[in-house]
Amino acid sequence: MANPNAHGAQHGHDSHGGGHSGSLKSYVIGFVLSIVLTVIPLVVVMNDMFSKQVNTLIILVMAILQFAVQLLFFMHIRDEEKPRFNLIALIFGLVIMLTIVAGSIWIMTYNAVAT
Amino acid sequence: MWDKIKEFSSEFFVTGDPLILGAQVSIALTLVAIIFTLSYFKKWRWLWTEWLTSVDHKKIGIMYIIASILMLFRGGVDALLMRVQLAAPELEFLNAEHYNAIFTTHGVIMILFMAMPLMFGLFNIVVPLQIGARDVAFPFLNSLSFWMFFFGAMLFNVSFVIGGSPDAGWLAYPPLSELSGSPGVGQDFYIWGIQISGIGSLATGINFVVTILKMRAPGMKLMKMPMFSWSVLSSCVTIMLAFPILTVTLFLLFLDRYLGAHFFTLDGGGNPMMYLNLIWMWGHPEVYIVILPAFGIFSEIVATFAKKKLFGYKSMVFALMSISFFSFFTWAHHFFTMGSGANVNAFFAVTTMIIAIPTGVKVFNWLFTMYRGKLSFPTPMLWTVAFIPCFIVGGMTGVMLSVAPADFQFHNSYFLIAHFHQVLIGGVVFGYFAGLYYWWPKMFGFKLHEGLGKWAFWFWNIGFYVCFMPQYALGFMGMTRRFNEYNFDMGWQPLNVVSTVGAFLMGIAFLFQVWQIAHSIKFLKMEKTGDSWNGRTLEWSIPSPAPHYNFARIPVVTSQDDFWEKKQRKLRGEKDAPEVIAAEQAPLEPIHMPKNSGIPFIMSLSWFVAGFGFVWDWKWMIFVGMGGVIACMLARSFTYDTDYYIPVDEVQRTEAAARGAH
Amino acid sequence: MLATALFLAMIAVISGCSSEQYIVLDPKGPIGQQQKDLIIITTLLCAVIIVPVLILTAVIVMRYRDRPGRKARYTPDWEHSTKLEVTWWTIPIVIIITLAVITAIYTYKLEPSKPLESAKEPITIEVTSLDWKWLFTYPDEDIATVNYIKFPEDTPVRFQLTSDKAMNSFWIPQLGGQLYTMSGMAMTLFLQADEPGIYYGSGANFNGEDFAQMTFDAEAVSDEEYQAWIQEVKGDSPALTLDGYEQLKKPGRSDVQLFSSFPEGLFQYIVTQYVEDGSGGAHAHHGQSGDSGQ
Amino acid sequence: MALLNKFLSGGKSQPLAAAHGQGGGQAAHGGHDAHGHDHHDQEGMKVFGFWLFLITDVILFGTLFATFVVLRLNTAGGPTGAELIEINGIIISTFILLTSSFTSGVALLEMNRGNKKGLITWLVITALLGASFIYLEVTEFIHLVHEGATIGTSAYWSSFFTLVGTHGLHVSIGLVWMVALIIQLARRGITDVTKRKVNVISLYWHFLDVIWIFVFTIVYLMGVM
Ligand code: HEA
Ligand code: HEA
Ligand SMILES: [Cu+2]
């Protein structure tokens, strides 16, 4: 490797997966948001604010938003160049992951053991 | 003291059976022979530096292929033993215990230690050459994958002579596979053997996805990529998403057995059906993982030997990708009879059938590639042409199985056995054989003897139909799988005898292949050209066997079937595009290559040690093994000196030698 | 080609069907009958496309061989035809849609826990798969059998399935398809025999060493014979005690056995034996299959 | 030398590179000039490979979550989660991990500014936060075991310990790795290779944070609800 840094400077776009870019501002925003999104479900659950279903829904939505915050502000998924292989892979993975969870729940409701 | 040793060894070694004694003796003899030969010819060093530590994808590919052929032999012998027993159960050739162990190891070995490594072998040999790259994305990881597979497979195989083989079926349903049902260590060998090799497979999946997406030669857009590489991509994406499920499932079973957890146990609230659900979420995609590359191979071969462009390229790509996608939505068709209700069954029946559509499209596209082509029939093409009828009939019986209410009658019967052997042998084995014959000259620089190859081909084919067609009928006669003996009133024997005859025909076919290889080596005739079949894709543009660095200059690609088009242009006297010429005439440069490394071998060996320790619950051994693994990881992390350059003059010399043969 | 010929030969052998050995295709009950119909319909539907493809393969391979004096066309660069591709996306889609509709209809129709239409009240037989034998208990008649069942013809039989140990699958091919027997769960399977006869039954899911010994006879007889048999069993056979059950449970094969009675609630006990708080709400969790079993 | 070469040939193949940017690494650099920068591409490729590894980890955790959700009611008459879990400690752990995700981001910013000292400092802070998370988790587990909930207690606890423990194991591996990385940074400074390694570990760290959010929501919050 003759001169790695020179190359690094020349091709600033090599951050295919990841967190090269981003500014302090975006990190701080992300951090604040993630705190808020953690406090909301806590408050909701600790005070038993709504019915069980509504509570569950709220905390799940908060978790998903939290995930989005991490992706956008910390993992910089937006900054990826085309073709967005990272994003495509992520979406595909999430779809399969959801299938695993939802499919298991669906199938296994009919085959629960006596408890 | 002596008693203790005796007691231990009677548990440790499988004893008291002539079959196994024979195996132990022959394994010991083989080992001695290997060690002797290597020492006598002073080849230890060569073995270590040239092969065991190699990170060269071509060598790794060859090692995969050798291992898988050995495993084909082992799995095949298992099959023949089963067939003997089933032809004449009254002879009690195998007792129940042995029979159960043998179909279990047959299934595991054939799918995980034969089909998978054969597939990885072909990936390794072909993909970098086909996309114009110098190696895979992560050569070190690639070597690690191979050794993880290898030591995993060894750990599994060792159970035959040490401790006892697993005998709970190839997917080891609990509670049978729990401690309550299988108290022996066989099941632990199963878990660790598959787990270790599974991690290797997962890594290979990631490696090839990155290789294909990021390392194509300039100009090779995705939609110009050869179909085999596409099929590898779809297969590897499926591996990436399916294998973690296997890892977790086996891990949970391990926790049940080792730490007394209650995931799938009878008591403590465990639910064995959750295991079925999880294992098939991996198991179903797995069968498509192995068939998709075969589809890719057929696509390459059909186009080459029809001397015609692959018909419907875009449809083919779309079909591949949709098969890998849909393969994740069909798993419940393996347990329609679990009683999950009509909604579940109807949903999964329909998703299963959907796969017939893209698969059918592929079949039609192959047929129309041949249509108006100019077909010649060397062995690779023979296998391809034999594949089509075999596979579509197997696919059709698959669709019959997917009709959920009908599956209540087919499930676990020989109809099912016939279905999956038809797609696995007619699809996967025929496909990989086709690929092996096709790319053999690229690997070794010479073709395999055609005449003997044709004998093998016909024996395999006829043997296949004689063996498995009667099994459909046996299914309709109510014969269930995994029976080691049966009631003679049922009238199953005649067809079973026929089936066994067929199995032996396939055995003979295998012997022909061994002979074929030996013969071709003995009367070695090296090819003068790198382009053995008048090929269409980049791998044929370089010498055979490919030089260490593959491409002296990375080619620039302008079209699908780039090499073929180039040859056509030459015939027509046209000129290549300027960027192609520029790339070809650019001065040679030092080539950047990864250095060999012993870490993958040592790390996988450490996994083997740790796995063995877990199997016997020897804490010190687990400790040593895991320590080794961690040490290897850290050693790797601190290694910065991982690559080197091949100087220009060496490249020049190699090229001259290879091209000089023209 | 070879494959085609063999395949057709196979169909011929099977559809010849004069032989009674093809028990799946020789059903003696409504469920088995419908499943057979379904098998035939779906086979034909698939064959409609597969057989032409087989023929097409043979024709193309023969016609476009590269041989001296060949007249067939050669178009090396012809690689696409929208019309053709649309055709072969469409045909399979149409067939699969048809198949899917038929399958869905039959799936609901043949849902195993769905009671059969009949003028007669169903009888109940509780089935427990053990290592390596079948235990059948008749809750209404209070008798029990091992590896053998008898029941009246023309009467729906409600099988309640469970397992004490590894899972298995309960299958009497001539009456209808199988269903898993699973510990901690009670599944319901309705079957019926339309005529008297002795039907082969087996365990279809591997459960260990002597798995192959888990075959049994299922005999359908007239009402009178059935009643007489019950009385006979009640008269001459020993009783199955809880101890006796523990003995029976031990791994091993067994001959046919008959018992004049069995501990009350044995089946419920087997299903709920791992429930710690003992309230035994086993069935409540099993959705449709369990509910109909109450 | 290599650099010069690159400029010379780079000029020629520029339009080509633009035309098929999707060829990935090599294509974007005018191909045949391998010297020097396939090494460089290697780093980008490794980050991509690592990203794919994270996707496989998503599936891995998805499977564990599926198992947990399916088995969550199977306590076999033993203690339930709601009875034994002390949510306060968990809340603290959650905020610790959230903060560490942020600090690992700051470390990355320092690296991009070329500030080696800042980078190491923030990595150390991140590692300390991670270590305290693990400490709290271990204390929690010990507490649970004392209360009579082990991995062998019931299906519920088996899946609880496996899911939470697997996350903990990931964090622990991350810690060892981070320490190894800090040593390398101290020795070698910020190079292409160490840069990639920091990028990768910060991705990993954010990812573990995401997983934890779901553990927190599904195992703990929904458990005590
Ligand atoms: C390479 C391996 C492979 C492949 C490719 C397939 C392909 C298919 N399989 Fe198979 N299968 C196995 C390996 C494979 N299978 C194994 C190993 C098992 C058993 C494991 C065990 O239990 O141990 C199994 C079991 C199995 C079952 C479970 C049965 C049971 O346990 O009761 C089912 C049920 O739906 C099924 C269905 C299918 C279908 C619908 C396809 C389809 O993908 C087939 C599609 C192809 C075609 C249909 C042919 C070409 C198409 C046309 C020419 C177009 C037109 C056709 C129509 C419209 C019909 N398979
Ligand atoms: C890729 C996968 C693959 C392949 C290639 C095969 C190949 C073969 N299989 Fe296998 N099979 C499975 C995957 C596969 N199988 C699986 C997954 C199962 C389910 C396991 C389970 O239920 O758990 C199964 C189960 C299975 C059964 C059912 C057992 C049972 O349920 O009781 C049978 C029975 O006939 C069988 C037969 C065969 C035969 C005859 C071959 C032949 O093709 C083999 C060809 C033979 C050779 C290649 C032999 C080479 C050896 C020699 C030449 C030595 C010469 C020595 C002498 C002549 C003595 N297989
Ligand atoms: Cu399947």
Side-chain angles (χ1 to χ4, degrees), chain B residues 111 170-171 173 280 283-284 286-292 295 323 330-337 348-349 351-364 367 388 391-404 406-413 416-417 419-425 427-428 481-482, chain C residues 42 45-47 49-50 53-54 88 91-96 99 178 180:
Chain B
I111 295 206
W170 82 283
L171 288 183
Y173 284 3
W280 283 116
H284 184 79
E286 165 66 14
V287 302
Y288 291 99
I289 288 170
V290 291
I291 196 73
L292 288 170
F295 289 169
I323 293 174
T330 69
W331 76 91
H333 69 217
H334 292 279
F335 44 86
F336 280 145
T337 53
F348 284 98
T351 50
T352 303
M353 293 170 185
I354 288 176
I355 302 211
I357 300 167
T359 317
V361 169
K362 298 195 76 74
V363 172
F364 288 118
L367 288 180
I388 294 178
F391 181 79
I392 61 179
V393 173
M396 162 175 159
T397 57
V399 174
M400 289 167 66
L401 287 170
S402 72
V403 177
D407 183 61
F408 281 68
Q409 288 283 30
F410 290 135
H411 184 55
N412 279 346
S413 76
L416 168 64
I417 300 284
H419 154 68
F420 72 70
H421 281 90
Q422 192 153 14
V423 280
L424 278 167
I425 296 181
V428 176
R481 69 194 292 194
R482 297 169 175 173
Chain C
T42 50
L45 250 176
C46 292
I49 181 154
I50 296 294
V53 175
L54 287 173
W88 58 65
I91 297 175
I93 288 179
V94 169
I95 292 186
I96 292 299
L99 202 60
Q178 63 195 288
Y180 285 168

